[in-house]
Amino acid sequence: MQKTILITGASDGIGLETAKRLVSDGHHVVLHGRNAAKLASVQETLSALPGAGPVESLVADLSHLEEVDALADAVIERYQSLDVLINNAGVLKTKETITRDGLDVRFMVNTIAPYHLTRRLQALIGSSGRVINLSSAAQAPVNIAALSGKVHLDAMGAYAQSKLAITQWSVALAGDADAPIFIAVNPGSMLASKMVKEGFGVAGNDIGIGAEILCQAALDESFADKSGQYFDNDSGRFSSPHADARNPKKVSETVQAIESVLSRLGTDGEKTR
């Protein structure tokens, strides 16, 4: 059965490889990226794959909240329903580390933007849909001041905290009434993504390892009763994330901090629900 699937950060790396597999299987894939020319090229290439399902694309820079809202508006306007949202876009090292709103770009792109996008699209996804969030083996206790833009961390510190934070809010939202299935996934450590090559200077492991597990998490029935859980692809099984993702107080503090940032940036609260 054909699914409609939105993948953020789909113009390269794990997102692109995941999109290739899903498109080849005949699914309707909506690609997101921030570079319009690159995204158009990817859309053309994927559309030409044998047996390709429909391929569309939407451009947005997830480091800017107004563009996250514009992305959500476009999805809501174009599609009556969304079966799967894969929050894949992520940042580790970058020249521009602080957004124009004063936030660390790692927290904004890796944690806050996917939270806001998910909340905007949650009604479209419905209780039968899935939200797959890219976590990581690198998870560190969240410094609320850093998430809020009041303290600045080094690249790896911000990245590891942002990945715990997305895991935490996956757990939190999975508890909502009529929520979609939320799965946080570590797709595999040191895969051959642009992030790994630029961040660590190594070629990395087969990126297909990550794409395969994301496709499974998005579609396989074995994930259907695992909402709120964390899949560690390094061990190939559901596992325990950092202890703070299972601590209700810590989870609540992180979600409240994200909501506070969104409120400070002038987000209409009604849009996030």
Side-chain angles (χ1 to χ4, degrees):
M1 180 179 177
Q2 185 189 77
K3 303 284 189 180
T4 301
I5 302 168
L6 169 61
I7 308 174
T8 67
S11 59
D12 57 33
I14 299 172
L16 174 55
E17 183 59 31
T18 302
K20 285 179 182 177
R21 295 179 182 218
L22 293 170
V23 169
S24 295
D25 286 341
H27 295 291
H28 178 185
V29 177
V30 184
L31 311 167
H32 155 266
R34 62 175 182 165
N35 183 309
K38 185 175 183 180
L39 198 59
S41 176
V42 168
Q43 180 178 350
E44 182 178 0
T45 299
L46 296 190
S47 296
L49 292 172
V55 185
E56 297 177 277
S57 60
L58 294 168
V59 178
D61 184 339
L62 299 186
S63 69
H64 304 315
L65 189 62
E66 64 270 23
E67 294 198 33
V68 180
D69 268 322
L71 174 60
D73 288 341
V75 173
I76 291 167
E77 181 179 348
R78 291 190 187 190
Y79 309 108
Q80 293 184 337
S81 64
L82 188 64
D83 296 297
V84 183
L85 167 61
I86 302 178
N87 284 311
N88 165 76
V91 178
L92 172 56
K93 288 189 175 180
T94 179
K95 292 180 181 179
E96 301 295 331
T97 61
I98 307 300
T99 73
R100 61 192 180 208
D101 295 310
L103 299 171
D104 186 297
V105 72
R106 269 76 52 148
F107 279 111
M108 183 61 204
V109 174
N110 302 352
T111 303
I112 298 168
Y115 177 89
H116 187 55
L117 180 64
T118 300
R119 294 298 260 174
R120 289 288 318 276
L121 299 181
Q122 194 162 325
L124 204 65
I125 300 167
S127 59
S128 62
R130 300 188 190 185
V131 177
I132 311 303
N133 285 334
L134 269 286
S135 183
S136 171
Q139 298 175 28
V142 178
N143 181 332
I144 297 300
L147 187 153
S148 304
K150 298 174 183 176
V151 172
H152 299 303
L153 307 174
D154 62 22
M156 196 62 209
Y159 177 82
Q161 291 188 30
S162 73
K163 288 302 181 179
L164 175 56
I166 195 171
T167 307
Q168 287 178 310
W169 73 247
S170 300
V171 173
L173 296 193
D176 287 355
D178 299 321
I181 297 163
F182 283 90
I183 307 289
V185 178
N186 165 29
S189 296
M190 303 300 286
L191 301 182
S193 65
K194 180 181 176 182
M195 181 188 298
V196 165
K197 292 172 184 176
E198 292 181 351
F200 299 97
V202 297
N205 301 318
D206 180 11
I207 206 163
I209 294 169
E212 181 178 356
I213 193 59
L214 291 186
C215 290
Q216 289 180 24
L219 301 172
D220 198 276
E221 281 304 307
S222 64
F223 285 77
D225 62 348
K226 306 297 186 188
S227 190
Q229 297 192 38
Y230 166 75
F231 191 91
D232 175 24
N233 206 30
D234 289 333
S235 62
R237 60 186 175 85
F238 284 95
S239 183
S240 295
H242 189 283
D244 283 3
R246 293 300 178 191
N247 182 321
K249 182 174 182 293
K250 295 290 187 180
V251 169
S252 178
E253 287 174 351
T254 295
V255 173
Q256 287 178 17
I258 294 169
E259 292 279 7
S260 293
V261 168
L262 292 171
S263 177
R264 189 178 79 230
L265 296 183
T267 300
D268 182 353
E270 290 302 314
K271 284 187 175 182
T272 67
R273 289 170 175 80

